[in-house]
């Protein structure tokens, strides 16, 4: 039976350096997996517009984007959960009140509210996605402001208690560092994305494999029967996976697919 293979992007499919390249061994392995009849999916915290063009053009069978908020199969949208315009405006107002700097992530556009220069957290995101997104990043005041999830940064002057009060009951707040938080509406995750694809294609859980390295991969890695942590994974990831492969730059994906007999 063909398997469904779900891959995180950063640190799993592509390198974590400034080049953000997919190693040749990874390309070779993914092509071979497809030849063997398996279906390959991106499963990422990134919204679709934030996925590098070279990945969108690679030939994945499907995309699970924005921590399960948007799903495509064979180029067709099969699921999209977004927030209402009213919710978006209210959340942005609350984040400003808390003095957090935020990137708002919609399927088609990214929006920014906060300093994105002079070495700030948002500077890297703004510069990287200005080059790699289909549309320019807009200010949160833009007329088409709407988003599915957000990533925010706590500053010295931020009110963390107020932030928790506003958002802990409505969002899964995933800490990436001591100051950077990814916020995903409750009920959505990389795991729910896998569940949706499984149901859509009528494929059992036993035939699903997930590959990741970061804290926002942990739900999908815990959900599937076959979970792979990259050699460069964050320590919490290494404690929950079935198999630890080599790093993204050391043929990690190819080695993992060989380990499971998928190629």
């Amino acid at each position: 039976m063909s398997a469904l293979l779900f891959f995180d992007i950063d640190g799993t499919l592509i390198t974590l350096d400034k080049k953000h390249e997919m190693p040749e061994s990874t390309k070779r392995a993914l092509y071979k997996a497809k030849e063997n009849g398996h279906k390959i999916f991106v499963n990422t915290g990134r919204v679709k517009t934030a996925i590098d063009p070279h990945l969108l053009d690679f030939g994945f069978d499907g995309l699970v984007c924005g921590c399960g908020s948007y799903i495509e199969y064979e180029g067709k949208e099969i699921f999209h959960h977004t927030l209402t315009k009213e919710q978006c405006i209210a959340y942005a107002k609350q984040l400003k009140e808390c003095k957090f700097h935020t990137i708002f992530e919609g399927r088609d556009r990214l929006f920014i509210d906060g300093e994105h220069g002079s070495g700030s957290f948002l500077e890297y995101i703004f510069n990287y996605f200005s080059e790699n997104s289909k549309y320019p990043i807009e200010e949160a005041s833009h007329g088409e402001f709407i988003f599915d999830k957000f990533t925010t940064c706590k500053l010295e002057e931020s009110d963390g208690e107020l932030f928790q009060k506003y958002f802990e009951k409505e969002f899964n707040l995933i800490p990436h560092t001591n100051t950077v938080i990814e916020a995903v509406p409750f009920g959505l995750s990389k795991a729910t994305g896998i569940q949706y694809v499984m149901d859509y294609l009528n494929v059992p859980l036993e035939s699903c494999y997930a590959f990741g390295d970061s804290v926002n991969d942990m739900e999908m890695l815990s959900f599937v029967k076959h979970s792979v942590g990259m050699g460069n994974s964050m320590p919490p990831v290494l404690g929950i996976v079935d198999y630890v492969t080599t790093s993204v730059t050391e043929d990690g994906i190819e080695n993992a697919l060989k380990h499971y007999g998928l190629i």
Side-chain angles (χ1 to χ4, degrees):
M1 178 183 290
S2 63
L4 304 183
L5 315 180
F6 296 88
F7 300 90
D8 170 54
I9 292 180
D10 299 282
T12 302
L13 285 176
I14 65 174
T15 58
L16 290 168
D17 57 21
K18 292 183 178 180
K19 294 182 179 180
H20 299 281
E21 294 177 330
M22 183 189 291
E24 289 302 316
S25 64
T26 299
K27 296 177 184 178
R28 182 170 64 239
L30 294 180
Y31 285 134
K32 184 62 177 176
K34 284 176 66 73
E35 287 178 11
N36 289 349
H38 307 305
K39 295 187 181 297
I40 60 173
F41 292 79
V42 165
N43 195 346
T44 179
R46 299 192 194 196
V47 287
K48 184 180 179 181
T49 192
I51 297 177
D52 303 59
H54 71 90
L55 289 174
L56 291 175
D57 296 336
F58 181 78
F60 287 95
D61 295 288
L63 307 172
V64 179
C65 306
C67 290
S69 61
Y70 175 79
I71 304 174
E72 275 188 15
Y73 178 64
E74 294 184 339
K76 175 187 174 183
E77 177 184 318
I78 60 173
F79 177 82
H80 184 208
H81 178 280
T82 192
L83 301 168
T84 67
K85 182 82 168 180
E86 292 73 22
Q87 285 176 312
C88 291
I89 292 172
Y91 292 143
K93 182 179 179 181
Q94 289 171 332
L95 283 159
K96 185 179 286 292
E97 182 183 348
C98 296
K99 298 181 180 178
F100 274 64
H101 288 183
T102 307
I103 185 84
F104 300 97
E105 305 161 72
R107 178 192 61 188
D108 303 317
R109 282 187 181 274
L110 300 175
F111 303 89
I112 199 164
D113 186 19
E115 173 60 44
H116 48 271
S118 305
S120 67
F121 156 70
L122 293 182
E123 181 180 28
Y124 166 77
I125 291 181
F126 182 82
N127 291 341
Y128 178 74
F129 290 119
S130 291
E131 297 177 0
N132 291 285
S133 296
K134 183 177 180 181
Y135 298 106
I137 300 178
E138 302 288 353
E139 296 291 332
S141 57
H142 191 274
E144 297 180 18
F145 179 62
I146 194 167
F147 59 90
D148 305 340
K149 60 187 285 282
F150 64 85
T151 300
T152 193
C153 181
K154 181 180 179 181
L155 311 172
E156 287 186 9
E157 64 270 25
S158 299
D159 189 332
E161 291 186 6
L162 185 60
F163 172 82
Q164 290 291 325
K165 177 182 177 181
Y166 280 148
F167 295 104
E168 66 181 357
K169 294 182 180 179
E170 298 185 55
F171 289 85
N172 181 18
L173 301 175
I174 306 169
H176 285 264
T177 68
N178 290 334
T179 57
V180 177
I181 301 167
E182 183 178 19
V184 182
F186 279 136
L188 298 174
S189 70
K190 291 185 177 185
T192 65
I194 292 176
Q195 181 71 65
Y196 193 94
V197 173
M198 284 171 44
D199 293 343
Y200 187 82
L201 297 177
N202 194 28
V203 173
L205 184 61
E206 290 74 17
S207 297
C208 294
Y209 297 72
F211 306 74
D213 71 304
S214 187
V215 288
N216 73 351
D217 297 318
M218 292 179 69
E219 286 191 66
M220 76 166 178
L221 293 170
S222 299
F223 177 69
V224 299
K225 298 295 185 183
H226 314 289
S227 57
V228 176
M230 305 300 291
N232 48 270
S233 294
M234 295 179 177
V237 172
L238 299 177
I240 66 166
V241 294
D242 294 323
Y243 178 69
V244 178
T245 186
T246 48
S247 72
V248 62
T249 57
E250 297 174 317
D251 308 331
I253 294 299
E254 185 172 55
N255 290 335
L257 294 181
K258 286 180 178 178
H259 170 78
Y260 284 107
L262 297 166
I263 60 174

